Structure formats: C-alpha cells, structure tokens
Amino acid sequence: MKPPSRSLPARFVSCLVAALVLVTAACSGSTGTGGTGATQVDAVAAADRDAAFRFAISIGMNSLDPHRPVNPSDSIWMRPVYDSLLTLAKGPDGVKIAPQLATSYEVAPDGRSIDFVLRDDVTFQSGARFDAEAVAANMERAKGPDSTISGRIDALDRVEVVDPTHVVFHLSHPDPGLPWTLADSSAGMMIDPAAFGTDLKAEPAGSGPYELVSATKDADVVYRRRDGHWDRDAALAKKLTISTIPDANARFNGVRSGQYDAANMSPPIDSVSKPLGEQGYHWELSLSPISYGVLLNTGTAPFDDVRVRRAVSLAVDRPKISEQVLRGLNPPSYQTFNKGYLGFDPKLHKNPYDPERARALIREAGAEGATVTILQVTTSPHDTLAEVVQQALTDIGLKVRLSPKSATESHAIWREGRSQAYVGTMLHYAEPAQTLTRTYLSKENPGPADPKLERMAKDARALPVGSTEREKAYQAIGAYLVENPVHVPVVQYSTVVLARPEAVGSENLVVQDVGKLDFRRVGVTKR
C-alpha cells in the first residue's frame, strides 16, 4: 500500500499564496501585449546605449577565473568580460554551436583533430592582440594541475599553432563533446596570457564586451562597457549589474518595482508570474538537458550499495513533484538523457514510483534505520525539493537529516566529497558524451567511477556523430543507469526569466539554462 499523500511544506505554500496575491493585483489593471505573446523588437536598434541593465539572480559568484571556477555557474559572471572560441545559439531545431572568437571549426574524419580559424580583429582589455599563440597558452593552462576544468578537456593532447589565425587541436581520442564544452562552459574562454600570474579569480583579463568595475561575493557584480570590442553591438548597456538575491519574492518584486530590469524566477514564482506577459512584461521559459535530482555519493554508505540507490529512485514520486511542487513547468525526468536530447529513450519514459519495493530493497541491503545527511540548497526550489526527498526516504526506512547551505557554497561541498547526498542540479548537456564525462566520470562526481559505465561511455564516444549506432549506444547507457543509478533525476530543469516591458533582447538571455546566461545584445529602451 502506498503511503498517504502529504501536504507541501508550509513555507512553499505561503510563498505561493504571496506570489498569487501580487500577480492577481498586477493583472487587475489595464492589459497590454508582451511577454510570452510579445512581438520581439530589434534590440540593437531600440536599446538606449547610455542606460544601465540590472539583473537579479538566485545564486552567487565564486570565481572569475575561467580555468578555476568553483561552480560551473561561475561562467555567468565571466561571460561579460571574456569571449569564447565558440558559443551557443538558438536554432530552428534547438540549441546549436555558433562562432565567436573562432569563425569556423572542422573536425577531422577520424575525430582526432579539430581545425579552428580565428578572428584577426580582437584585442584583450590590456590592448594586447588575441591570436593563435594566446589560444595555445590558454589551453595549456586549462589542462594544468591547478585547473578545475581539466577533466572536461581530457581528450586534448596538444595545440598546434599554424599561423596567427589558425590552430589545430590534436586529441588523444575522439571526443564529439569537446566543441560543446568549448561553447557552453568556461573552457573556451580566452584569458590574456600576460595576466596568468595575477589574481584572475578577482581581477579578470579578457577580451569581452564589458570590463569589471567591482565584485562583491553574494551581492553586486558591476561591469562597464569596454570601448573597442570587435562586436560593437554586444554591449547594449553602458553599465551592467548582476545582483545575487536568493529570495524569490524579492527578485519578483524587484522586477515589478523597476529595481531590476530582469531576473530569474524560481518556483513557485516562475509559474504565477506568467500572467504578467499580458501586462507587457517578457516571460521567457527554456527547458534544458539538466535535471533537478538527488545526487548520491557512491563512495559513502549506504549509497555505496546499488540497491539503496535503486530504492531512492523508486521512492520519489516524480509526477506529483512536477505538478504539485513545480506547477507543471518542470516535466518528470525518469532517465539520464532528457526528452528532446540525444540518448532519450521513449521506452524508459515511465514512472518507476514503488515505495513498497523501495522499502524491500532497503531491508535487503541492511540499510533500514541508516542515517543519511543530504545537502540542502537554501534557495527555491532546491530547499522544497530537499524536504520532499527527505520525507520520501524517511518513508522507506532511512533516517534523513538535511544540511542547509547557500547556493554559492553547496556545490563546492559536494564536489569535495563532504556530503553523502545532494538535492541539486544534475549537470547534463546537449551532447551526451559531455554529460557522462563531467557529471558521472570526473571530479564533479565525488564517488568512484562505475567501471562498466566508463567502458560504455568510451565505446559510445568513438561512434560516428549522427549515426544510429551512437543513438542506440547512449540509449543503452540510459537504460543501464536506470537499473544501476549513480544519481537520481527527478524533474527536468527549466529556466524562467521575467523582464520589464522596456527590456530588449530578453529572448537572448537564456539559450539553454540559467548557467548559460549571456548579456550580449540585451539592454533597455529609454526609460
């Protein structure tokens, strides 16, 4: 018999009620067009280039060094000051790789090298020119012992400088995910080599459209437009401020009052803010390959036993969480590769919820009554999801304690292996090879790597890009991880941005998820 239905945490309900009251009041006046139904304007033509743009976000910045981020989301604060070899862009068939410092790239037929052609009109903020030698120096540093991203580019053997605008990446093995890594993370960002010996975590030295003015941890990070950037339309605002505001209501109210021009909306505010589109606001939703989930440290008991990990997956009622906690904006996630991305298998898209079987597995593993500490991020929706997971695991026989930590510090704690479990974001990517390399088989996963998963990932990575064999290989990996979970996906990650009516280019802010925020070609009209 299934356990009785439980009510949502009181804190979540009170937040939802407050948000509903605010939005109802907002919608009682005159209505206009905008938001989800608005016709997008030409941001480049409409922006007031003497204005400031202010964005509020739930998480905080740790490092501005592209090769030594503490959290992958640190790249949000790096993008204004750094250009990257490649970037992401929206295409008719989904997210695609687009040029930035590299005007083009070509992967060799055997997958063992990648040729890049570089721009010839780029300077760093110091005035030094960007060229092929700078690329080689950056990739050498990114592979170095102090790098926190070296595992993401482990296929890179060496960089050949052909001429100032031409480099070749020579790989130790084919890695279809490498161009994606260069596009969607800080690995492709180029630092002025003359600044390698400086404190880049606090004082960035890039070639981007903005330069840093000041940075306060878990508060405001302020930038100003940099003169002479190769793309004169990249920085449409004279001043850019990214403010860390953990409280979801404060971000929502800040956009409503005009304190912020835009902000990311966390549940439940994301759904109840949608009607503001009828008031001329811009409401942007993006689903990503990422999932909210329960990350399990397989190097610590009881999660070193696969039966306990299976029990966790069986204990979580994903559809109920999707509908009741997240109001349907985050579809249930039953497998590693989400719907719409390579590796997704329709046959695995079914609810495994079975608390009785989960309790039996806990008893079989001798884990009944075991004490488990779960890292709880204190921002929405992670805080509420952690409470729901706590109750679900308690119901199957575990003793669960939550350890609340800020969004800024939680990822570092997890990465260092100082937690048995973590209710957070599972960093999955459009390219499945990236997902496996970075979330399951690198330092991002503190537990020991699963040898069979390593072999399966290596074999799949070697298959031709776009082939049916490759798709089937990743579907097989997805099936293996359902039966032998390392982590437990719960719901698909969504990013919602609410922007004021005078914001332009808000549709460009989020290409895939909040971690890919990019403020290029985003600004405001005259106030």
Side-chain angles (χ1 to χ4, degrees), residues 51-310:
F53 190 85
R54 302 154 299 186
F55 190 89
I57 191 169
S58 56
I59 53 181
M61 178 271 295
N62 297 276
S63 169
L64 292 169
D65 185 339
H67 302 154
R68 297 168 188 174
V70 175
N71 190 313
S73 62
D74 286 339
S75 61
I76 295 169
W77 288 267
M78 297 176 194
R79 285 192 189 93
V81 291
Y82 288 104
D83 292 320
S84 183
L85 287 176
L86 301 170
T87 189
L88 296 179
K90 294 178 181 178
D93 299 318
V95 176
K96 63 178 183 178
I97 296 174
Q100 199 164 91
L101 289 175
T103 59
S104 65
Y105 75 96
E106 183 176 358
V107 180
D110 65 359
R112 299 292 293 267
S113 65
I114 309 175
D115 288 7
F116 293 90
V117 177
L118 308 175
R119 298 188 66 92
D120 62 1
D121 56 352
V122 178
T123 59
F124 293 104
Q125 63 185 44
S126 68
R129 295 195 68 80
F130 163 78
D131 59 14
E133 293 288 353
V135 175
N138 268 269
M139 301 317 296
E140 186 67 26
R141 184 175 185 268
K143 285 167 53 66
D146 295 325
S147 170
T148 59
I149 62 165
S150 56
R152 305 179 195 178
I153 56 171
D154 65 336
L156 180 60
D157 181 38
R158 62 186 177 89
V159 176
E160 176 190 355
V161 176
V162 178
D163 58 48
T165 60
H166 183 195
V167 294
V168 180
F169 283 18
H170 293 277
L171 311 185
S172 59
H173 56 266
D175 183 5
L178 184 56
W180 287 94
T181 296
L182 298 175
D184 73 4
S185 76
S186 61
M189 295 180 187
M190 294 291 110
I191 306 167
D192 185 347
F196 282 176
T198 64
D199 183 12
L200 288 165
K201 286 188 174 182
E203 299 176 3
S207 63
Y210 290 95
E211 56 187 14
L212 183 70
V213 174
S214 62
T216 304
K217 187 177 177 65
D218 291 332
D220 289 354
V221 179
V222 182
Y223 309 84
R224 61 172 169 255
R225 183 167 54 227
R226 184 172 78 89
D227 294 333
H229 187 260
W230 55 271
D231 181 359
R232 68 177 301 274
D233 296 324
L236 296 183
K238 187 175 183 179
K239 178 182 177 182
L240 169 66
T241 302
I242 306 175
S243 300
T244 297
I245 309 293
D247 184 83
N249 275 316
R251 295 196 305 278
F252 172 74
N253 291 333
V255 174
R256 289 278 297 131
S257 68
Q259 182 179 2
Y260 308 115
D261 297 298
N264 77 300
M265 298 286 108
S266 302
I269 308 295
D270 53 1
S271 60
V272 297
S273 63
K274 186 176 181 179
L276 288 176
E278 299 176 4
Q279 301 294 312
Y281 286 75
H282 305 274
W283 190 89
E284 311 288 347
L285 168 69
S286 178
L287 286 173
S288 86
I290 295 174
S291 290
Y292 288 118
V294 188
L295 290 87
L296 303 172
N297 186 343
T298 59
T300 63
F303 299 125
D304 56 346
D305 190 319
V306 71
R307 292 171 294 184
V308 176
R309 302 197 299 273
R310 286 183 193 137

